[in-house]
Amino acid sequence: MKLCPLARSIVFTIAASCLTACGGNSVPTPPQPPDVYAVGFELQGNLDKAVFWKNNVLSTLDSGQYGARAFGVAVANGNVYVAGIEGSPSGNNVAVLWTNGVPTALTDGTGTGFAGAVAVSSTDVYVVGSELTYNATLGTYVQAAMYWKNGSPTVLNNGLPATGAGTFIPNAGATAIAVDGSDIYIAGDVGSRIETAPNTYTDEPVVTYWKNGVATSVTSGLEYAQTTGIAVQNGHVYISGQLCATFTPDCSVATLWTDGVASSLTTNLLSAASGVAVSGSSVYASVNVTDTTGNTAALSTDGMFTPLSSTNLSAANCVTTSGSDVYVGGAEIGAGETAGLGIAAYWKNGTVSYLSGTTNTSSVYAMAVVPSS
């Protein structure tokens, strides 16, 4: 195209202005990739070691004397929080919170503690889990669902016997947490006893979530169900787990409850959803499918089921998102692995990455992906 003198002058003027305004020929700094945190365990000798990776660099969390595993991670306010368990001289596991690698025991070892997830709301740090203690009155052990806010414990359900016939001990446990604005949501299971006929009872866990400490039952107790994860967006509550409604052998199916309504994520029996995440209008769930030959990792996206691995020696233990990217943490047989049971790995948008520093059995249980620090 031929420009007239006036048009050419306008083009040169605009170009000169852009060079001045944009600082000459400077190139904008490209955005930095996010920091990817993963936590889990590695078998070293005859002990499990609690470990975490930041951008594929391995660090060990526990002292290594009694064994440990890490199950949850949150990154906030310049700190890295990891929840998990560590053995103790009493022989009981202790619930632990590691802050930037420094451990704080949440239970004292007189009972069996468990810390399964951690979340941060403003400057408050929440850890969810359970503690199994001996009840002398009942002459048996009872497990309570709990959370710790800045290290201070609160019992969500004490796990004591339901009223009625028999000496059934329901037990309870909290496994997952989500923050929605100022609201704290915790998911777990509470044992129940329901009389289905004279002197006939069904004893099954009830999938439950607590919003700011107030419990809501998601299942009825008339079927086997178990929860693994929770995500909340705009007041809508998504819970992952498994459901067996028929009491037939191997009937559990990976399930997502959306505001209490159950949806099967696969037609495969012996499957379970291990975690849930929401990004925009999409809901993601990490899924495991088990058969006589092993376990296969998969991902459900808005109900569409996709295997992540071509091997039946893989596991999907958690899911998280960062923008349009979807991360699933778990384990898979990989190059250099010597124990034969899989090494820690994660899938980003379906492509697997094996985490460094481990050649023995290891796995990822939780991930956090945050803007680069």
Side-chain angles (χ1 to χ4, degrees):
M1 177 179 67
K2 182 177 181 180
L3 295 176
C4 65
L6 177 59
R8 187 181 296 113
S9 175
I10 293 172
V11 170
F12 290 155
T13 302
I14 294 173
S17 299
C18 183
L19 286 173
T20 303
C22 299
N25 293 321
S26 62
V27 178
T29 302
Q32 296 299 305
D35 290 328
V36 178
Y37 295 83
V39 302
F41 85 99
E42 182 186 18
L43 180 64
Q44 297 184 7
N46 61 349
L47 289 176
D48 291 340
K49 301 279 291 182
V51 295
F52 83 96
W53 295 261
K54 178 183 178 181
N55 299 330
N56 206 21
V57 177
L58 175 68
S59 299
T60 301
L61 290 166
D62 66 284
S63 64
Q65 188 174 2
Y66 301 106
R69 289 193 179 196
F71 295 107
V73 60
V75 182
N77 306 321
N79 298 311
V80 181
Y81 303 95
V82 179
I85 58 172
E86 186 168 6
S88 71
S90 71
N92 294 327
N93 288 332
V94 173
V96 178
L97 174 69
W98 288 273
T99 304
N100 301 324
V102 178
T104 299
L106 301 175
T107 57
D108 61 9
T110 56
T112 300
F114 172 76
V118 58
V120 180
S121 177
S122 185
T123 59
D124 294 323
V125 181
Y126 294 83
V127 179
V128 301
S130 61
E131 187 175 20
L132 180 72
T133 56
Y134 185 75
N135 187 301
T137 301
L138 298 171
T140 189
Y141 288 88
V142 180
Q143 181 174 286
M146 305 178 64
Y147 74 88
W148 294 264
K149 179 181 178 182
N150 302 324
S152 179
T154 296
V155 174
L156 293 164
N157 185 289
N158 61 20
L160 291 175
T163 58
T167 58
F168 172 67
I169 307 298
N171 291 327
T175 55
I177 184 170
V179 177
D180 187 36
S182 60
D183 294 321
I184 308 299
Y185 293 79
I186 297 172
D189 302 299
V190 175
S192 70
R193 161 159 284 196
I194 297 175
E195 188 172 12
T196 56
N199 299 317
T200 302
Y201 299 88
T202 297
D203 302 333
E204 296 295 341
V206 173
V207 171
T208 303
Y209 74 87
W210 293 265
K211 177 182 178 182
N212 302 326
V214 178
T216 297
S217 298
V218 177
T219 57
S220 66
L222 293 174
E223 66 279 288
Y224 172 79
Q226 189 174 35
T227 183
T228 56
I230 188 169
V232 183
Q233 182 170 270
N234 300 324
H236 295 292
V237 181
Y238 305 89
I239 295 176
S240 60
Q242 57 183 312
L243 177 65
C244 175
T246 62
F247 292 111
T248 56
D250 304 334
C251 71
S252 293
V253 174
T255 300
L256 176 71
W257 289 270
T258 302
D259 296 330
V261 179
S263 300
S264 297
L265 299 178
T266 175
T267 58
N268 292 284
L269 300 180
L270 274 180
S271 60
S274 57
V276 60
V278 182
S279 180
S281 60
S282 292
V283 181
Y284 304 94
S286 50
V287 178
N288 289 292
V289 178
T290 304
D291 60 25
T292 57
T293 64
N295 189 91
T296 302
L299 175 68
S300 172
T301 303
D302 297 325
M304 181 176 295
F305 179 84
T306 304
L308 290 169
S309 174
S310 60
T311 173
N312 56 11
L313 292 174
S314 59
N317 297 327
C318 63
V319 60
T320 192
T321 62
S322 175
S324 60
D325 295 322
V326 181
Y327 298 78
V328 176
E332 186 183 66
I333 288 291
E337 193 258 346
T338 59
L341 295 176
I343 59 172
Y346 69 84
W347 292 263
K348 177 184 177 182
N349 302 326
T351 300
V352 68
S353 294
Y354 300 102
L355 289 168
S356 66
T358 59
T359 57
N360 295 311
T361 300
S362 56
S363 189
V364 171
Y365 286 136
M367 297 184 69
V369 183
V370 300
S372 179
S373 57

